[in-house]
Amino acid sequence: MTHPRSSPATPGADTEGHHPHTKSGTGSEAVPDAESPPRAGTQPEAEARTDADAQPNADAQPDADAQAQAQAQAQTDTEAPPDAPHPPDAPHPADLRSTPLALTPPTDLRAHLTTRLDTAARNWLHRALDEAAANPGTHGPISAWELRIAEAGRRCGPEHADAARVLILHAARADADALTRVYFQGTAAERRAVLHALPHLVPGPQALPLVEDALRTNDTRLLAAAVGPYAARHLDSHQWRHAVLKCLFTGVHVDTVADLDRRAHRDTELARMLGDYAAERTAAGRSVPDDLHRVLTLTDPTATPPAPAADPGSRGTDGKES
């Protein structure tokens, strides 16, 4: 359907297209390397030393310098300024495998995101959030915060756009009706953000049609967003089982399925469906996904995983997908 808002994918089409493009927020400004500390003692003291005094320290001085440099570097690493690159071992808010957006509190998400944006992107995000908080809900044919959602990709860069959009939705306190409008009028990226925001914004099942729509697609990133905690909380057993199967045959890792262990536990109907799916793939000469074995074990810890598929040979493309 035609998007009533200007799509951020169309060059110059968003509402602020007349401004020069700002640099995408794909990281923080570089931080200069810390300078090595001066050697112990002042220059006059060094010149005043006799050869006899300096000789015993000749071998020890490099070690002292190395220790001083190491201490200075450790202090620099500990006291990095706010714009320094985020520590590599910190969880990334946009990484669905380690820290799902849907499970990240908005305050933590904002703190993590702003450390990764450059100055222009960070300032834009703060203005967008303030604007959404000052004018929440729906106003007129389209709200200002909806326009900011549309341009988040260009302003913050594709790596951080999902997180920025989720934060704007939170700031605007979007309800089920507003989220439905953004979802069905938005791009795939904007739809992902809506799905990630559902658990915190919609307490009941009113937004289930959005999850059901996403589960009918073959967009793997949209599917991964759809099987988050909102789906785990509100999808009935029949829909949830089919969502798991959809992940298996589209290649979406089952780690993205929220609450998988609990919902799959001793689910004999899911076990039957998994067995049928594995049998179809084996009969067609196709491999059975490793994730299927894992889910099958959750449904019945005593179940035997399906046998590996035979060499497909010339029959590798004639099987039926369910």
PDB file of all heavy atoms in Angstrom, residues 138 145-146 149 165-166 168-170 173-186 190-191 193-203 207 210 230:
ATOM      1  N   THR A 138      -1.643  10.738  19.519  1.00  0.00           N
ATOM      2  CA  THR A 138      -1.930  11.028  18.113  1.00  0.00           C
ATOM      3  C   THR A 138      -2.503  12.425  17.984  1.00  0.00           C
ATOM      4  O   THR A 138      -3.416  12.800  18.714  1.00  0.00           O
ATOM      5  CB  THR A 138      -2.935  10.011  17.545  1.00  0.00           C
ATOM      6  OG1 THR A 138      -2.393   8.698  17.719  1.00  0.00           O
ATOM      7  CG2 THR A 138      -3.203  10.254  16.081  1.00  0.00           C
ATOM      8  N   TRP A 145       6.134  12.943  15.925  1.00  0.00           N
ATOM      9  CA  TRP A 145       7.037  11.843  16.275  1.00  0.00           C
ATOM     10  C   TRP A 145       7.002  10.732  15.242  1.00  0.00           C
ATOM     11  O   TRP A 145       7.973   9.991  15.083  1.00  0.00           O
ATOM     12  CB  TRP A 145       6.722  11.315  17.673  1.00  0.00           C
ATOM     13  CG  TRP A 145       5.323  10.838  17.914  1.00  0.00           C
ATOM     14  CD1 TRP A 145       4.293  11.546  18.434  1.00  0.00           C
ATOM     15  CD2 TRP A 145       4.806   9.529  17.632  1.00  0.00           C
ATOM     16  NE1 TRP A 145       3.153  10.769  18.498  1.00  0.00           N
ATOM     17  CE2 TRP A 145       3.448   9.524  18.033  1.00  0.00           C
ATOM     18  CE3 TRP A 145       5.354   8.360  17.117  1.00  0.00           C
ATOM     19  CZ2 TRP A 145       2.631   8.398  17.902  1.00  0.00           C
ATOM     20  CZ3 TRP A 145       4.549   7.233  16.992  1.00  0.00           C
ATOM     21  CH2 TRP A 145       3.200   7.265  17.380  1.00  0.00           C
ATOM     22  N   GLU A 146       5.893  10.602  14.515  1.00  0.00           N
ATOM     23  CA  GLU A 146       5.851   9.598  13.440  1.00  0.00           C
ATOM     24  C   GLU A 146       6.801   9.969  12.313  1.00  0.00           C
ATOM     25  O   GLU A 146       7.412   9.094  11.677  1.00  0.00           O
ATOM     26  CB  GLU A 146       4.428   9.463  12.920  1.00  0.00           C
ATOM     27  CG  GLU A 146       3.451   8.888  13.936  1.00  0.00           C
ATOM     28  CD  GLU A 146       2.048   8.747  13.366  1.00  0.00           C
ATOM     29  OE1 GLU A 146       1.902   8.050  12.346  1.00  0.00           O
ATOM     30  OE2 GLU A 146       1.112   9.335  13.946  1.00  0.00           O
ATOM     31  N   ILE A 149      10.241   8.950  13.328  1.00  0.00           N
ATOM     32  CA  ILE A 149      10.447   7.510  13.138  1.00  0.00           C
ATOM     33  C   ILE A 149      10.849   7.228  11.693  1.00  0.00           C
ATOM     34  O   ILE A 149      11.725   6.404  11.415  1.00  0.00           O
ATOM     35  CB  ILE A 149       9.178   6.739  13.528  1.00  0.00           C
ATOM     36  CG1 ILE A 149       9.024   6.718  15.049  1.00  0.00           C
ATOM     37  CG2 ILE A 149       9.201   5.310  12.986  1.00  0.00           C
ATOM     38  CD1 ILE A 149       7.769   6.049  15.539  1.00  0.00           C
ATOM     39  N   ARG A 165      14.054   4.192  16.957  1.00  0.00           N
ATOM     40  CA  ARG A 165      12.604   4.183  16.745  1.00  0.00           C
ATOM     41  C   ARG A 165      11.857   3.651  17.964  1.00  0.00           C
ATOM     42  O   ARG A 165      10.798   4.156  18.322  1.00  0.00           O
ATOM     43  CB  ARG A 165      12.272   3.342  15.505  1.00  0.00           C
ATOM     44  CG  ARG A 165      12.742   3.961  14.198  1.00  0.00           C
ATOM     45  CD  ARG A 165      12.313   3.132  12.988  1.00  0.00           C
ATOM     46  NE  ARG A 165      12.709   3.784  11.748  1.00  0.00           N
ATOM     47  CZ  ARG A 165      13.653   3.349  10.921  1.00  0.00           C
ATOM     48  NH1 ARG A 165      14.300   2.219  11.216  1.00  0.00           N
ATOM     49  NH2 ARG A 165      13.965   3.999   9.834  1.00  0.00           N
ATOM     50  N   VAL A 166      12.414   2.617  18.588  1.00  0.00           N
ATOM     51  CA  VAL A 166      11.779   2.078  19.800  1.00  0.00           C
ATOM     52  C   VAL A 166      11.734   3.154  20.880  1.00  0.00           C
ATOM     53  O   VAL A 166      10.714   3.331  21.560  1.00  0.00           O
ATOM     54  CB  VAL A 166      12.540   0.834  20.295  1.00  0.00           C
ATOM     55  CG1 VAL A 166      12.066   0.429  21.690  1.00  0.00           C
ATOM     56  CG2 VAL A 166      12.334  -0.323  19.329  1.00  0.00           C
ATOM     57  N   ILE A 168      11.648   6.407  20.492  1.00  0.00           N
ATOM     58  CA  ILE A 168      10.661   7.425  20.126  1.00  0.00           C
ATOM     59  C   ILE A 168       9.251   6.927  20.429  1.00  0.00           C
ATOM     60  O   ILE A 168       8.410   7.675  20.941  1.00  0.00           O
ATOM     61  CB  ILE A 168      10.817   7.811  18.643  1.00  0.00           C
ATOM     62  CG1 ILE A 168      12.152   8.518  18.422  1.00  0.00           C
ATOM     63  CG2 ILE A 168       9.664   8.714  18.195  1.00  0.00           C
ATOM     64  CD1 ILE A 168      12.494   8.762  16.957  1.00  0.00           C
ATOM     65  N   LEU A 169       8.974   5.678  20.129  1.00  0.00           N
ATOM     66  CA  LEU A 169       7.656   5.115  20.440  1.00  0.00           C
ATOM     67  C   LEU A 169       7.388   5.142  21.939  1.00  0.00           C
ATOM     68  O   LEU A 169       6.270   5.431  22.385  1.00  0.00           O
ATOM     69  CB  LEU A 169       7.562   3.686  19.910  1.00  0.00           C
ATOM     70  CG  LEU A 169       7.488   3.537  18.390  1.00  0.00           C
ATOM     71  CD1 LEU A 169       7.652   2.075  17.985  1.00  0.00           C
ATOM     72  CD2 LEU A 169       6.165   4.079  17.856  1.00  0.00           C
ATOM     73  N   HIS A 170       8.404   4.833  22.729  1.00  0.00           N
ATOM     74  CA  HIS A 170       8.253   4.897  24.188  1.00  0.00           C
ATOM     75  C   HIS A 170       7.992   6.327  24.638  1.00  0.00           C
ATOM     76  O   HIS A 170       7.110   6.581  25.467  1.00  0.00           O
ATOM     77  CB  HIS A 170       9.500   4.353  24.876  1.00  0.00           C
ATOM     78  CG  HIS A 170       9.555   2.865  24.950  1.00  0.00           C
ATOM     79  ND1 HIS A 170       8.684   2.122  25.713  1.00  0.00           N
ATOM     80  CD2 HIS A 170      10.387   1.969  24.352  1.00  0.00           C
ATOM     81  CE1 HIS A 170       8.979   0.836  25.585  1.00  0.00           C
ATOM     82  NE2 HIS A 170      10.002   0.713  24.766  1.00  0.00           N
ATOM     83  N   ARG A 173       4.602   7.451  24.102  1.00  0.00           N
ATOM     84  CA  ARG A 173       3.608   6.647  24.813  1.00  0.00           C
ATOM     85  C   ARG A 173       2.526   6.141  23.847  1.00  0.00           C
ATOM     86  O   ARG A 173       1.315   6.264  24.105  1.00  0.00           O
ATOM     87  CB  ARG A 173       2.995   7.441  25.972  1.00  0.00           C
ATOM     88  CG  ARG A 173       4.032   7.904  26.976  1.00  0.00           C
ATOM     89  CD  ARG A 173       3.421   8.492  28.223  1.00  0.00           C
ATOM     90  NE  ARG A 173       2.774   9.787  28.013  1.00  0.00           N
ATOM     91  CZ  ARG A 173       3.419  10.945  27.927  1.00  0.00           C
ATOM     92  NH1 ARG A 173       4.741  10.974  28.025  1.00  0.00           N
ATOM     93  NH2 ARG A 173       2.769  12.070  27.766  1.00  0.00           N
ATOM     94  N   ALA A 174       2.986   5.594  22.743  1.00  0.00           N
ATOM     95  CA  ALA A 174       2.070   5.124  21.699  1.00  0.00           C
ATOM     96  C   ALA A 174       1.207   3.983  22.215  1.00  0.00           C
ATOM     97  O   ALA A 174       1.720   3.030  22.809  1.00  0.00           O
ATOM     98  CB  ALA A 174       2.864   4.675  20.473  1.00  0.00           C
ATOM     99  N   ASP A 175      -0.095   4.079  21.979  1.00  0.00           N
ATOM    100  CA  ASP A 175      -0.997   3.002  22.390  1.00  0.00           C
ATOM    101  C   ASP A 175      -1.204   2.039  21.223  1.00  0.00           C
ATOM    102  O   ASP A 175      -0.586   2.178  20.160  1.00  0.00           O
ATOM    103  CB  ASP A 175      -2.332   3.564  22.883  1.00  0.00           C
ATOM    104  CG  ASP A 175      -3.060   4.397  21.833  1.00  0.00           C
ATOM    105  OD1 ASP A 175      -2.682   4.337  20.635  1.00  0.00           O
ATOM    106  OD2 ASP A 175      -4.024   5.111  22.204  1.00  0.00           O
ATOM    107  N   ALA A 176      -2.076   1.054  21.416  1.00  0.00           N
ATOM    108  CA  ALA A 176      -2.278   0.020  20.390  1.00  0.00           C
ATOM    109  C   ALA A 176      -2.742   0.622  19.067  1.00  0.00           C
ATOM    110  O   ALA A 176      -2.305   0.187  17.992  1.00  0.00           O
ATOM    111  CB  ALA A 176      -3.280  -1.020  20.887  1.00  0.00           C
ATOM    112  N   ASP A 177      -3.616   1.631  19.112  1.00  0.00           N
ATOM    113  CA  ASP A 177      -4.104   2.241  17.873  1.00  0.00           C
ATOM    114  C   ASP A 177      -2.985   2.956  17.133  1.00  0.00           C
ATOM    115  O   ASP A 177      -2.852   2.828  15.908  1.00  0.00           O
ATOM    116  CB  ASP A 177      -5.242   3.220  18.182  1.00  0.00           C
ATOM    117  CG  ASP A 177      -6.513   2.514  18.635  1.00  0.00           C
ATOM    118  OD1 ASP A 177      -6.656   1.303  18.345  1.00  0.00           O
ATOM    119  OD2 ASP A 177      -7.356   3.160  19.278  1.00  0.00           O
ATOM    120  N   ALA A 178      -2.187   3.727  17.870  1.00  0.00           N
ATOM    121  CA  ALA A 178      -1.089   4.443  17.225  1.00  0.00           C
ATOM    122  C   ALA A 178      -0.052   3.476  16.665  1.00  0.00           C
ATOM    123  O   ALA A 178       0.465   3.657  15.551  1.00  0.00           O
ATOM    124  CB  ALA A 178      -0.433   5.395  18.228  1.00  0.00           C
ATOM    125  N   LEU A 179       0.251   2.424  17.410  1.00  0.00           N
ATOM    126  CA  LEU A 179       1.212   1.430  16.940  1.00  0.00           C
ATOM    127  C   LEU A 179       0.696   0.711  15.705  1.00  0.00           C
ATOM    128  O   LEU A 179       1.465   0.403  14.777  1.00  0.00           O
ATOM    129  CB  LEU A 179       1.496   0.424  18.051  1.00  0.00           C
ATOM    130  CG  LEU A 179       2.258   0.967  19.262  1.00  0.00           C
ATOM    131  CD1 LEU A 179       2.221  -0.029  20.410  1.00  0.00           C
ATOM    132  CD2 LEU A 179       3.696   1.292  18.881  1.00  0.00           C
ATOM    133  N   THR A 180      -0.586   0.438  15.666  1.00  0.00           N
ATOM    134  CA  THR A 180      -1.174  -0.214  14.496  1.00  0.00           C
ATOM    135  C   THR A 180      -1.037   0.671  13.268  1.00  0.00           C
ATOM    136  O   THR A 180      -0.707   0.197  12.174  1.00  0.00           O
ATOM    137  CB  THR A 180      -2.652  -0.541  14.758  1.00  0.00           C
ATOM    138  OG1 THR A 180      -2.730  -1.468  15.851  1.00  0.00           O
ATOM    139  CG2 THR A 180      -3.303  -1.165  13.527  1.00  0.00           C
ATOM    140  N   ARG A 181      -1.273   1.968  13.427  1.00  0.00           N
ATOM    141  CA  ARG A 181      -1.143   2.885  12.298  1.00  0.00           C
ATOM    142  C   ARG A 181       0.297   2.950  11.809  1.00  0.00           C
ATOM    143  O   ARG A 181       0.562   2.885  10.603  1.00  0.00           O
ATOM    144  CB  ARG A 181      -1.636   4.281  12.682  1.00  0.00           C
ATOM    145  CG  ARG A 181      -1.617   5.242  11.504  1.00  0.00           C
ATOM    146  CD  ARG A 181      -2.321   6.534  11.813  1.00  0.00           C
ATOM    147  NE  ARG A 181      -1.524   7.401  12.691  1.00  0.00           N
ATOM    148  CZ  ARG A 181      -1.892   8.629  13.003  1.00  0.00           C
ATOM    149  NH1 ARG A 181      -3.046   9.121  12.560  1.00  0.00           N
ATOM    150  NH2 ARG A 181      -1.134   9.369  13.783  1.00  0.00           N
ATOM    151  N   VAL A 182       1.242   3.088  12.749  1.00  0.00           N
ATOM    152  CA  VAL A 182       2.652   3.143  12.360  1.00  0.00           C
ATOM    153  C   VAL A 182       3.062   1.852  11.661  1.00  0.00           C
ATOM    154  O   VAL A 182       3.786   1.873  10.651  1.00  0.00           O
ATOM    155  CB  VAL A 182       3.545   3.401  13.596  1.00  0.00           C
ATOM    156  CG1 VAL A 182       5.018   3.278  13.228  1.00  0.00           C
ATOM    157  CG2 VAL A 182       3.262   4.783  14.173  1.00  0.00           C
ATOM    158  N   TYR A 183       2.597   0.725  12.180  1.00  0.00           N
ATOM    159  CA  TYR A 183       2.974  -0.568  11.599  1.00  0.00           C
ATOM    160  C   TYR A 183       2.477  -0.691  10.160  1.00  0.00           C
ATOM    161  O   TYR A 183       3.269  -0.979   9.241  1.00  0.00           O
ATOM    162  CB  TYR A 183       2.413  -1.699  12.459  1.00  0.00           C
ATOM    163  CG  TYR A 183       2.748  -3.077  11.934  1.00  0.00           C
ATOM    164  CD1 TYR A 183       3.889  -3.743  12.348  1.00  0.00           C
ATOM    165  CD2 TYR A 183       1.921  -3.718  11.002  1.00  0.00           C
ATOM    166  CE1 TYR A 183       4.215  -4.999  11.861  1.00  0.00           C
ATOM    167  CE2 TYR A 183       2.239  -4.977  10.511  1.00  0.00           C
ATOM    168  CZ  TYR A 183       3.380  -5.613  10.942  1.00  0.00           C
ATOM    169  OH  TYR A 183       3.686  -6.856  10.437  1.00  0.00           O
ATOM    170  N   PHE A 184       1.205  -0.498   9.947  1.00  0.00           N
ATOM    171  CA  PHE A 184       0.640  -0.757   8.616  1.00  0.00           C
ATOM    172  C   PHE A 184       0.968   0.342   7.606  1.00  0.00           C
ATOM    173  O   PHE A 184       0.874   0.114   6.397  1.00  0.00           O
ATOM    174  CB  PHE A 184      -0.868  -0.976   8.711  1.00  0.00           C
ATOM    175  CG  PHE A 184      -1.235  -2.332   9.236  1.00  0.00           C
ATOM    176  CD1 PHE A 184      -1.794  -2.478  10.495  1.00  0.00           C
ATOM    177  CD2 PHE A 184      -0.974  -3.475   8.497  1.00  0.00           C
ATOM    178  CE1 PHE A 184      -2.121  -3.740  11.007  1.00  0.00           C
ATOM    179  CE2 PHE A 184      -1.282  -4.744   8.985  1.00  0.00           C
ATOM    180  CZ  PHE A 184      -1.863  -4.869  10.239  1.00  0.00           C
ATOM    181  N   GLN A 185       1.373   1.518   8.063  1.00  0.00           N
ATOM    182  CA  GLN A 185       1.772   2.575   7.141  1.00  0.00           C
ATOM    183  C   GLN A 185       3.287   2.644   6.983  1.00  0.00           C
ATOM    184  O   GLN A 185       3.787   3.424   6.180  1.00  0.00           O
ATOM    185  CB  GLN A 185       1.257   3.933   7.639  1.00  0.00           C
ATOM    186  CG  GLN A 185      -0.268   4.050   7.619  1.00  0.00           C
ATOM    187  CD  GLN A 185      -0.759   5.395   8.114  1.00  0.00           C
ATOM    188  OE1 GLN A 185       0.022   6.209   8.601  1.00  0.00           O
ATOM    189  NE2 GLN A 185      -2.045   5.637   7.985  1.00  0.00           N
ATOM    190  N   GLY A 186       4.008   1.825   7.730  1.00  0.00           N
ATOM    191  CA  GLY A 186       5.455   1.947   7.762  1.00  0.00           C
ATOM    192  C   GLY A 186       6.193   0.970   6.873  1.00  0.00           C
ATOM    193  O   GLY A 186       5.619   0.047   6.285  1.00  0.00           O
ATOM    194  N   GLU A 190      10.374   0.097  10.128  1.00  0.00           N
ATOM    195  CA  GLU A 190       9.478   0.720  11.103  1.00  0.00           C
ATOM    196  C   GLU A 190       8.568  -0.324  11.749  1.00  0.00           C
ATOM    197  O   GLU A 190       8.231  -0.222  12.947  1.00  0.00           O
ATOM    198  CB  GLU A 190       8.662   1.811  10.411  1.00  0.00           C
ATOM    199  CG  GLU A 190       9.513   3.000   9.963  1.00  0.00           C
ATOM    200  CD  GLU A 190       8.804   3.883   8.946  1.00  0.00           C
ATOM    201  OE1 GLU A 190       7.564   3.984   8.999  1.00  0.00           O
ATOM    202  OE2 GLU A 190       9.490   4.465   8.084  1.00  0.00           O
ATOM    203  N   ARG A 191       8.186  -1.338  11.012  1.00  0.00           N
ATOM    204  CA  ARG A 191       7.364  -2.411  11.578  1.00  0.00           C
ATOM    205  C   ARG A 191       8.147  -3.197  12.626  1.00  0.00           C
ATOM    206  O   ARG A 191       7.600  -3.597  13.653  1.00  0.00           O
ATOM    207  CB  ARG A 191       6.879  -3.340  10.464  1.00  0.00           C
ATOM    208  CG  ARG A 191       5.900  -2.675   9.516  1.00  0.00           C
ATOM    209  CD  ARG A 191       5.373  -3.631   8.454  1.00  0.00           C
ATOM    210  NE  ARG A 191       4.398  -2.954   7.611  1.00  0.00           N
ATOM    211  CZ  ARG A 191       3.510  -3.573   6.838  1.00  0.00           C
ATOM    212  NH1 ARG A 191       3.497  -4.902   6.787  1.00  0.00           N
ATOM    213  NH2 ARG A 191       2.661  -2.878   6.111  1.00  0.00           N
ATOM    214  N   ALA A 193      10.421  -2.012  14.592  1.00  0.00           N
ATOM    215  CA  ALA A 193      10.464  -1.193  15.802  1.00  0.00           C
ATOM    216  C   ALA A 193       9.164  -1.302  16.587  1.00  0.00           C
ATOM    217  O   ALA A 193       9.174  -1.386  17.818  1.00  0.00           O
ATOM    218  CB  ALA A 193      10.751   0.261  15.439  1.00  0.00           C
ATOM    219  N   VAL A 194       8.043  -1.307  15.882  1.00  0.00           N
ATOM    220  CA  VAL A 194       6.750  -1.450  16.560  1.00  0.00           C
ATOM    221  C   VAL A 194       6.689  -2.779  17.308  1.00  0.00           C
ATOM    222  O   VAL A 194       6.278  -2.839  18.472  1.00  0.00           O
ATOM    223  CB  VAL A 194       5.599  -1.340  15.549  1.00  0.00           C
ATOM    224  CG1 VAL A 194       4.270  -1.749  16.189  1.00  0.00           C
ATOM    225  CG2 VAL A 194       5.504   0.079  14.994  1.00  0.00           C
ATOM    226  N   LEU A 195       7.109  -3.854  16.666  1.00  0.00           N
ATOM    227  CA  LEU A 195       7.073  -5.172  17.309  1.00  0.00           C
ATOM    228  C   LEU A 195       7.983  -5.218  18.538  1.00  0.00           C
ATOM    229  O   LEU A 195       7.631  -5.814  19.562  1.00  0.00           O
ATOM    230  CB  LEU A 195       7.477  -6.247  16.306  1.00  0.00           C
ATOM    231  CG  LEU A 195       6.517  -6.440  15.127  1.00  0.00           C
ATOM    232  CD1 LEU A 195       7.142  -7.351  14.064  1.00  0.00           C
ATOM    233  CD2 LEU A 195       5.191  -7.020  15.597  1.00  0.00           C
ATOM    234  N   HIS A 196       9.154  -4.596  18.451  1.00  0.00           N
ATOM    235  CA  HIS A 196      10.060  -4.560  19.603  1.00  0.00           C
ATOM    236  C   HIS A 196       9.467  -3.759  20.758  1.00  0.00           C
ATOM    237  O   HIS A 196       9.755  -4.046  21.928  1.00  0.00           O
ATOM    238  CB  HIS A 196      11.399  -3.930  19.203  1.00  0.00           C
ATOM    239  CG  HIS A 196      12.229  -4.776  18.297  1.00  0.00           C
ATOM    240  ND1 HIS A 196      12.416  -6.126  18.482  1.00  0.00           N
ATOM    241  CD2 HIS A 196      12.943  -4.455  17.176  1.00  0.00           C
ATOM    242  CE1 HIS A 196      13.209  -6.602  17.524  1.00  0.00           C
ATOM    243  NE2 HIS A 196      13.539  -5.613  16.731  1.00  0.00           N
ATOM    244  N   ALA A 197       8.659  -2.749  20.443  1.00  0.00           N
ATOM    245  CA  ALA A 197       8.121  -1.869  21.486  1.00  0.00           C
ATOM    246  C   ALA A 197       6.873  -2.425  22.156  1.00  0.00           C
ATOM    247  O   ALA A 197       6.484  -1.948  23.222  1.00  0.00           O
ATOM    248  CB  ALA A 197       7.813  -0.494  20.886  1.00  0.00           C
ATOM    249  N   LEU A 198       6.242  -3.412  21.569  1.00  0.00           N
ATOM    250  CA  LEU A 198       4.960  -3.905  22.080  1.00  0.00           C
ATOM    251  C   LEU A 198       4.973  -4.328  23.546  1.00  0.00           C
ATOM    252  O   LEU A 198       4.053  -3.982  24.299  1.00  0.00           O
ATOM    253  CB  LEU A 198       4.468  -5.080  21.213  1.00  0.00           C
ATOM    254  CG  LEU A 198       3.970  -4.751  19.814  1.00  0.00           C
ATOM    255  CD1 LEU A 198       3.519  -6.028  19.103  1.00  0.00           C
ATOM    256  CD2 LEU A 198       2.821  -3.747  19.862  1.00  0.00           C
ATOM    257  N   PRO A 199       5.957  -5.089  24.031  1.00  0.00           N
ATOM    258  CA  PRO A 199       5.868  -5.590  25.410  1.00  0.00           C
ATOM    259  C   PRO A 199       5.751  -4.494  26.455  1.00  0.00           C
ATOM    260  O   PRO A 199       5.105  -4.685  27.481  1.00  0.00           O
ATOM    261  CB  PRO A 199       7.171  -6.385  25.575  1.00  0.00           C
ATOM    262  CG  PRO A 199       7.578  -6.747  24.201  1.00  0.00           C
ATOM    263  CD  PRO A 199       7.150  -5.613  23.334  1.00  0.00           C
ATOM    264  N   HIS A 200       6.383  -3.343  26.214  1.00  0.00           N
ATOM    265  CA  HIS A 200       6.351  -2.271  27.203  1.00  0.00           C
ATOM    266  C   HIS A 200       5.162  -1.335  27.025  1.00  0.00           C
ATOM    267  O   HIS A 200       4.806  -0.613  27.957  1.00  0.00           O
ATOM    268  CB  HIS A 200       7.646  -1.441  27.118  1.00  0.00           C
ATOM    269  CG  HIS A 200       8.868  -2.175  27.556  1.00  0.00           C
ATOM    270  ND1 HIS A 200       9.114  -2.498  28.869  1.00  0.00           N
ATOM    271  CD2 HIS A 200       9.918  -2.675  26.846  1.00  0.00           C
ATOM    272  CE1 HIS A 200      10.265  -3.140  28.967  1.00  0.00           C
ATOM    273  NE2 HIS A 200      10.767  -3.265  27.749  1.00  0.00           N
ATOM    274  N   LEU A 201       4.547  -1.315  25.846  1.00  0.00           N
ATOM    275  CA  LEU A 201       3.516  -0.318  25.551  1.00  0.00           C
ATOM    276  C   LEU A 201       2.099  -0.874  25.538  1.00  0.00           C
ATOM    277  O   LEU A 201       1.142  -0.122  25.727  1.00  0.00           O
ATOM    278  CB  LEU A 201       3.810   0.362  24.205  1.00  0.00           C
ATOM    279  CG  LEU A 201       5.094   1.208  24.171  1.00  0.00           C
ATOM    280  CD1 LEU A 201       5.341   1.731  22.755  1.00  0.00           C
ATOM    281  CD2 LEU A 201       5.002   2.363  25.154  1.00  0.00           C
ATOM    282  N   VAL A 202       1.949  -2.165  25.274  1.00  0.00           N
ATOM    283  CA  VAL A 202       0.604  -2.749  25.169  1.00  0.00           C
ATOM    284  C   VAL A 202       0.509  -3.917  26.150  1.00  0.00           C
ATOM    285  O   VAL A 202       1.044  -4.992  25.891  1.00  0.00           O
ATOM    286  CB  VAL A 202       0.303  -3.233  23.734  1.00  0.00           C
ATOM    287  CG1 VAL A 202      -1.132  -3.728  23.630  1.00  0.00           C
ATOM    288  CG2 VAL A 202       0.554  -2.114  22.731  1.00  0.00           C
ATOM    289  N   PRO A 203      -0.185  -3.741  27.263  1.00  0.00           N
ATOM    290  CA  PRO A 203      -0.248  -4.810  28.255  1.00  0.00           C
ATOM    291  C   PRO A 203      -1.136  -5.976  27.858  1.00  0.00           C
ATOM    292  O   PRO A 203      -0.908  -7.109  28.293  1.00  0.00           O
ATOM    293  CB  PRO A 203      -0.811  -4.099  29.499  1.00  0.00           C
ATOM    294  CG  PRO A 203      -1.558  -2.927  28.961  1.00  0.00           C
ATOM    295  CD  PRO A 203      -0.825  -2.497  27.731  1.00  0.00           C
ATOM    296  N   ALA A 207      -2.709  -5.840  20.319  1.00  0.00           N
ATOM    297  CA  ALA A 207      -1.785  -5.700  19.190  1.00  0.00           C
ATOM    298  C   ALA A 207      -1.429  -7.030  18.542  1.00  0.00           C
ATOM    299  O   ALA A 207      -0.542  -7.070  17.676  1.00  0.00           O
ATOM    300  CB  ALA A 207      -0.511  -4.992  19.649  1.00  0.00           C
ATOM    301  N   LEU A 210      -0.818  -7.405  14.705  1.00  0.00           N
ATOM    302  CA  LEU A 210       0.474  -6.987  14.145  1.00  0.00           C
ATOM    303  C   LEU A 210       1.448  -8.159  14.150  1.00  0.00           C
ATOM    304  O   LEU A 210       2.184  -8.374  13.174  1.00  0.00           O
ATOM    305  CB  LEU A 210       1.047  -5.825  14.957  1.00  0.00           C
ATOM    306  CG  LEU A 210       0.121  -4.637  15.215  1.00  0.00           C
ATOM    307  CD1 LEU A 210       0.885  -3.514  15.910  1.00  0.00           C
ATOM    308  CD2 LEU A 210      -0.506  -4.148  13.929  1.00  0.00           C
ATOM    309  N   TYR A 230       6.220 -10.346  23.518  1.00  0.00           N
ATOM    310  CA  TYR A 230       4.786 -10.078  23.376  1.00  0.00           C
ATOM    311  C   TYR A 230       4.080 -11.297  22.792  1.00  0.00           C
ATOM    312  O   TYR A 230       3.009 -11.704  23.249  1.00  0.00           O
ATOM    313  CB  TYR A 230       4.554  -8.850  22.494  1.00  0.00           C
ATOM    314  CG  TYR A 230       3.108  -8.410  22.448  1.00  0.00           C
ATOM    315  CD1 TYR A 230       2.577  -7.607  23.459  1.00  0.00           C
ATOM    316  CD2 TYR A 230       2.266  -8.795  21.408  1.00  0.00           C
ATOM    317  CE1 TYR A 230       1.241  -7.211  23.434  1.00  0.00           C
ATOM    318  CE2 TYR A 230       0.935  -8.400  21.378  1.00  0.00           C
ATOM    319  CZ  TYR A 230       0.431  -7.604  22.390  1.00  0.00           C
ATOM    320  OH  TYR A 230      -0.892  -7.218  22.368  1.00  0.00           O
TER     321      TYR A 230
END
